Amino acid sequence: YFHDNFKFQTMQYRLENPERPQDRYRFENGLRATYFQTEPSTPVCEWAIICEGAIKAMVTQIWGDTGPAVQVLAIPSRDCSGGVADAVKNCKRVWICLDPDCWIRPTNAAPTWEPAPVKLSKMIGKNARIVSLAGKVDDMILSGGLEAHAWKQALKSARNL
């Protein structure tokens, strides 16, 4: 992963047949998990979209038709924001679009549990908006179920806390 000006941050691997399927993504030993930046040649400026996972961010950057002014970022997982809140702290608007399962309360959750988009929105502040979709953003875009005009409408109708 690279951040602004191609500053190297970390390396992530996808394991082919892990014992536990949820463990298929791993970061290089000794390097921290961090957010993914789709356009490291362009600094994070006024607008940003945060997805859950680098592949979703890449699909959203390529097919989302939001233009070059919007930086698309990805957090490593709903449980790890990878420092993204600091990266977007000066943005005028930040849209958070995580996978739909982020709203499901784990059976072993603490009484203080909050859905990941809510926690991330609180970390970012008043400029954060939560985008709710029926499916994963990349799957919806690639299947034709979320065309650019509908994606832009979802961004416009995103809610704040």
Side-chain angles (χ1 to χ4, degrees), residues 22-153:
Q22 64 269 29
D23 290 340
R24 67 185 177 273
Y25 294 103
R26 297 267 174 89
F27 286 94
E28 178 68 32
N29 191 27
L31 297 177
R32 66 188 179 103
T34 187
Y35 65 91
F36 176 79
Q37 187 170 337
T38 58
E39 295 285 344
S41 61
T42 306
V44 178
C45 290
E46 295 183 343
W47 300 284
I49 296 169
I50 299 172
C51 301
E52 183 181 333
I55 293 171
K56 289 175 190 73
M58 288 184 272
V59 169
T60 302
Q61 176 71 37
I62 294 166
W63 296 101
D65 194 31
T66 52
V70 179
Q71 179 68 261
V72 183
L73 308 168
I75 58 173
S77 72
R78 68 176 173 256
D79 300 322
C80 174
S81 62
V84 77
D86 286 336
V88 299
K89 67 182 175 221
N90 295 320
C91 290
K92 287 183 180 178
R93 178 72 66 236
V94 179
W95 294 275
I96 301 166
C97 185
L98 305 187
D99 294 354
D101 65 355
C102 71
W103 297 98
I104 300 170
R105 182 187 185 95
T107 54
N108 61 345
T112 57
W113 180 85
E114 290 181 304
V118 173
K119 282 174 43 177
L120 188 52
S121 179
K122 287 179 178 179
M123 290 168 62
I124 293 167
K126 64 181 170 54
N127 296 330
R129 299 291 182 270
I130 298 172
V131 180
S132 294
L133 298 175
K136 296 178 180 183
V137 66
D138 60 333
D139 292 344
M140 292 181 70
I141 289 171
L142 294 174
S143 71
L146 184 64
E147 295 179 358
H149 66 88
W151 170 238
K152 289 177 186 174
Q153 186 57 45

